[in-house]
Structures are given as C-alpha cells and as structure tokens.
C-alpha cells in the first residue's frame, strides 16, 4: 500500500504517462510520455529513480530532442 505524501490518501496511485517540465541548467525542458505514478486525489507525481536519471541524462543534450517548442513565460510579479 502506497500513501501519498502530499494529500495522505492511500492506494490512489495509478500508472500514467505524463508530461513533465524540468528546469535544467537554466533552460526549460519538457519531457512527454514519462512513466509516472500519479495520485488521482491530488495529482502528485512519483517517478522511478531510473526515470529521473534518464531525464537528467537527456537534459544534458547528448541526444537531439524530439522537437523544439517556444515556451510562454508569465511572471506573477509582473502580470497579476
Ligand atoms: Zn495525493
């Protein structure tokens, strides 16, 4: 039985492929279809250590990305 650290629910995790943005070395990298365990109570995502390691390796840019996208940025100090 797995208890969610974020909301305290138990047995609410299911395996899903998620999109996950990560800031590495000052730039945003978006990983798609990442295998994760997602709490369907609060949305907390858990990754296997191996998955995190793979994202860090890919984030170093040793392999070309699937595609490039421009990312809009909103700074709450400026716009809200
Ligand atoms: Zn939760």
């Amino acid at each position: 039985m797995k208890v969610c650290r974020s909301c305290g629910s138990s047995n609410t995790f299911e395996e899903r492929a998620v999109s996950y943005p990560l800031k590495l070395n000052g730039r945003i990298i978006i990983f798609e279809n990442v295998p994760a365990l997602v709490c369907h109570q609060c949305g907390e995502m858990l990754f296997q250590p191996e998955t995190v390691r793979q994202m860090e390796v890919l984030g170093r840019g040793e392999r070309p990305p699937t595609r490039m996208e421009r990312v809009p940025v909103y700074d709450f100090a400026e716009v809200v």
Side-chain angles (χ1 to χ4, degrees), residues 34-49:
V34 185
L37 288 174
V38 182
C39 172
H40 46 85
Q41 205 68 249
C42 73
E44 172 86 346
M45 290 185 228
L46 300 177
F47 298 106
Q48 298 289 343

Side-chain angles (χ1 to χ4, degrees), residues 2-7 9-20 33-48:
K2 209 167 186 65
V3 176
C4 178
R5 273 186 305 175
S6 186
C7 71
S9 303
S10 52
N11 281 329
T12 53
F13 283 98
E14 61 178 14
E15 279 187 49
R16 260 200 253 161
V18 301
S19 289
Y20 190 67
N33 291 310
V34 185
L37 288 174
V38 182
C39 172
H40 46 85
Q41 205 68 249
C42 73
E44 172 86 346
M45 290 185 228
L46 300 177
F47 298 106
Q48 298 289 343

